[in-house]
Amino acid sequence: MHGEYKVPGGKLVVVDLDTADGDGPEGGVLSNVRVAGDFFLEPDEAIVAINRALEGAPADTDAAGLAARIEAALPEGTVMFGLTAEGIAVAVRRALAHATDWTDYDWQLVHQGPQSPALHMALDEVLTAEVAAGRRPPTLRVWEWGAPAVVIGSFQSLRNEVDPAGAERHGIQVVRRISGGGAMFIEPGNTITYSLSVPTALVQGLSFADSYAYLDDWVLGALGDMGVKAWYQPLNDIATDAGKVAGAAQKRMVSDAGGAVLHHVTMAYDIDADKMTDVLRIGKEKLSDKGTKSAKKRVDPLRRQTGLAREAVIERMIGSFRGRYGLEQGSVTEAEMARAEELAREKFGTGEWTGRVP
């Protein structure tokens, strides 16, 4: 079995292993474990210690348990660079889960003209369901917004998050997405949003939290190429020294074909902070969790950090993804669009759905 995992902010870890019958109640144990990668590790014998620590471990040991075995076996003074015990453990779990890799797929790009907020919500549901059913290849969809909006998480209280008078004053539509997480303030020229609709196999062996870092890694590289040093900040933020630049959310879908994960990210290219705070009810508890007293200081837009036009940032992001994994131009099919338009009318555009958590 073969598993790979790129440590967030670090290097690639590769694990090859077999399983053998064991004496425990759960049966199999790890055998012939070989850890490799482009990381740095001192002393040389540490790699031998890592392999030995994993050898004979019960195959149902979780990532935390595997990491503990590794930590306990490392020689005194071991130095890891681009590598962590947790990263090795995740690579082992991915091998055991027969996880796939980004390059195992033919990726499709969907980047069409501006669409309404409700239709964007519907397209996420429809395209991810199609990937889950095996009828659509893994898809990167870059959004273009047809109107300003506030997008609230699936479980957020509408009245706690949005000031209706402020939203009406600024002509902002409120929609609710199918994923959890917090509210996003959207203005078409100031926002970059993308969705990844991927087979569940791509994140097999990863914890829920690890899957965020894994699916965000490519965009960290794209930002780095634009001179922005960014990192994943648990659970769902992309941050820089100057502040947060993006927030992510996920939704899992199950199907007989294996299922899919929707991972979508909203990035602040620019922001009207006064308008945002006039529309969103951002509580003191939320701000304290982010280590700041002002909502205006939470987000530092990409326009200032890159010096590039919004379109140029998007073009470079797409180019970075294509260079890593391959990416063919695609589109939403007529059947997919018809289903999305129906959902936009009957679900995402209705007060019943938007106010389902009052």
Side-chain angles (χ1 to χ4, degrees):
M1 284 168 274
H2 179 87
E4 297 186 3
Y5 179 63
K6 186 177 182 300
V7 176
K11 299 293 185 175
L12 181 68
V13 182
V14 180
V15 175
D16 292 285
L17 57 83
D18 299 315
T19 55
D21 291 340
D23 298 328
E26 299 300 326
V29 298
L30 307 187
S31 66
N32 300 320
V33 181
R34 300 169 301 283
V35 176
D38 60 354
F39 48 79
F40 300 91
L41 179 65
E42 295 287 351
D44 282 352
E45 55 265 30
I47 192 69
V48 177
I50 291 169
N51 290 337
R52 285 177 177 169
L54 294 169
E55 197 78 19
D60 63 344
T61 307
D62 64 14
L66 293 171
R69 290 176 69 108
I70 294 167
E71 291 282 4
L74 291 173
E76 186 176 353
T78 295
V79 176
M80 294 179 171
F81 185 75
L83 176 69
T84 63
E86 293 78 10
I88 298 168
V90 169
V92 171
R93 295 307 317 166
R94 285 177 59 75
L96 291 166
H98 301 283
T100 56
D101 186 67
W102 295 85
T103 54
D104 292 332
Y105 300 103
D106 295 323
W107 290 87
Q108 186 174 112
L109 171 67
V110 172
H111 187 194
Q112 298 178 307
Q115 289 154 332
S116 72
L119 186 58
H120 277 307
M121 304 302 107
L123 283 168
D124 262 359
E125 180 170 323
V126 169
L127 297 188
T128 305
E130 290 297 291
V131 172
R135 293 187 291 265
R136 161 173 281 278
T139 299
L140 167 64
R141 183 170 75 92
V142 179
W143 305 23
E144 296 294 344
W145 291 90
V150 167
V151 182
I152 60 175
S154 181
F155 310 107
Q156 287 189 294
S157 162
L158 177 60
R159 62 170 166 254
N160 287 349
E161 298 298 327
V162 183
D163 183 326
E168 184 177 1
R169 184 161 50 249
H170 297 291
I172 291 175
Q173 179 183 353
V174 182
V175 292
R176 185 184 296 274
R177 61 181 182 265
I178 59 173
S179 63
M184 308 303 294
F185 178 73
I186 306 296
E187 291 186 292
N190 290 347
T191 305
I192 297 172
T193 306
Y194 67 86
S195 300
L196 287 168
S197 297
V198 307
T200 302
L202 184 62
V203 296
Q204 289 283 32
L206 298 178
S207 69
F208 191 81
D210 286 339
S211 71
Y212 274 84
Y214 185 70
L215 294 176
D216 281 339
D217 187 67
W218 72 275
V219 81
L220 301 185
L223 291 172
D225 292 341
M226 289 180 262
V228 178
K229 183 180 179 181
W231 60 87
Y232 163 73
Q233 183 169 298
L235 170 65
N236 61 336
D237 287 349
I238 296 174
T240 70
D241 286 332
K244 173 180 172 179
V245 295
Q250 287 186 3
K251 176 68 176 179
R252 309 289 172 113
M253 294 187 181
V254 179
S255 78
D256 293 339
V261 177
L262 168 65
H263 179 91
H264 44 197
V265 175
T266 293
M267 312 178 77
Y269 171 72
D270 204 347
I271 195 164
D272 185 331
D274 290 325
K275 187 184 295 184
M276 178 184 73
T277 54
D278 195 34
V279 174
L280 295 183
R281 288 174 168 157
I282 303 174
K284 293 181 180 179
E285 190 70 25
K286 181 179 291 187
L287 294 178
S288 67
D289 179 55
K290 304 300 182 183
T292 181
K293 295 182 179 179
S294 171
K296 298 178 183 179
K297 295 178 181 178
R298 285 183 58 198
V299 179
D300 193 77
L302 291 173
R303 179 179 182 178
R304 187 190 69 78
Q305 294 200 51
T306 65
L308 298 171
R310 176 180 176 275
E311 293 73 17
V313 174
I314 292 173
E315 183 179 345
R316 293 196 185 192
M317 287 172 57
I318 291 172
S320 180
F321 191 103
R322 182 177 286 117
R324 284 175 172 232
Y325 311 126
L327 188 64
E328 296 296 326
Q329 183 65 50
S331 61
V332 179
T333 69
E334 289 185 8
E336 290 169 339
M337 184 58 78
R339 175 59 180 148
E341 289 173 343
E342 179 184 27
L343 275 177
R345 288 191 307 270
E346 299 182 0
K347 178 179 179 179
F348 294 103
T350 67
E352 181 181 6
W353 168 258
T354 304
R356 77 185 187 103
V357 183

